[in-house]
Amino acid sequence: MSKESWSAYMIVEAPPEEACEVSASDHRRFAEVPVSGWHALVLWAIGPAHVIRCLDQRVPEPIRVVCETDGQRSVRVEERTCGDRSAVESEIHEYLMNARVPSQPCGYRWFVEIPSGMNDCDDLLDRFSSSLSEYRGQLMPVEERKVMVTVADLLYRDVKKSESDR
């Protein structure tokens, strides 16, 4: 499946419920995907037919800072900064660039359709992870992308068949 842009990924007004309607005749289960370069690559491999997004309008959660000086440990809570967010986005951008995938747009929450036969997002992500672990040595992101696309095609093959039956 050839994808050229993240703009093909549908934007919805609100985050979906565990089981939600995307259209009147289309009952599908979606789950939120964590934020990382690896997870963004999984979303790219799965493709826009099975991924939706909405604007992230949540107040950022504070971060816990742990410092240890001379054996004394202190913990404080701080608000997230633009620099914190920028560092995360930079790491995601670099990972996707190494996989030869366009940079993912910022400011969204991303949700993946859970294929039938899977309980939740963890099951889905475990399938991608275990498929990658079958390869000896460490794969580069561009090689991971190729494996992920194959896995996604297999996982969503039945979904595509049922869509064409409608």
Side-chain angles (χ1 to χ4, degrees):
M1 177 186 321
S2 174
K3 298 170 265 315
E4 296 179 17
S5 171
W6 289 98
S7 63
Y9 291 70
M10 185 169 65
I11 300 172
V12 295
E13 287 189 34
E17 299 297 326
E18 181 64 31
C20 73
E21 278 187 46
V22 174
S23 69
S25 63
D26 190 14
H27 295 281
R28 299 160 65 188
R29 290 183 313 136
F30 285 85
E32 188 165 7
V33 176
V35 177
S36 79
W38 188 86
H39 291 97
L41 189 55
V42 168
L43 294 173
W44 183 262
I46 291 171
H50 306 287
V51 176
I52 60 175
R53 58 186 166 140
C54 70
L55 287 173
D56 189 353
Q57 299 177 338
R58 301 171 296 179
V59 174
E61 290 185 28
I63 56 175
R64 219 174 121 219
V65 179
V66 179
C67 297
E68 196 165 320
T69 309
D70 299 327
Q72 295 292 332
R73 185 175 181 178
S74 66
V75 178
R76 67 180 186 276
V77 176
E78 295 179 356
E79 290 185 53
R80 290 185 190 267
T81 66
C82 290
D84 294 332
R85 183 65 196 159
S86 178
V88 169
E89 289 169 0
S90 178
E91 288 177 14
I92 293 170
H93 169 74
E94 184 176 335
Y95 194 89
L96 292 175
M97 184 181 69
N98 289 334
R100 297 189 184 124
V101 169
S103 192
Q104 188 182 45
C106 303
Y108 291 97
R109 295 171 63 187
W110 296 84
F111 300 85
V112 65
E113 180 179 2
I114 305 300
S116 61
M118 295 199 160
N119 295 321
D120 54 26
C121 191
D122 288 339
D123 280 353
L124 177 64
L125 297 174
D126 285 348
R127 183 72 62 92
F128 282 91
S129 184
S130 65
S131 294
L132 290 168
S133 69
E134 292 176 10
Y135 292 85
R136 303 283 182 239
Q138 198 169 16
L139 292 176
M140 299 303 292
V142 71
E143 297 160 324
E144 285 183 342
R145 177 179 49 84
K146 293 173 184 174
V147 173
M148 287 179 179
V149 167
T150 301
V151 172
D153 287 346
L154 291 171
L155 290 173
Y156 289 93
R157 179 178 33 207
D158 292 336
V159 175
K160 290 175 189 172
K161 284 180 186 173
S162 67
E163 286 172 354
S164 64
D165 292 342
R166 290 181 194 155

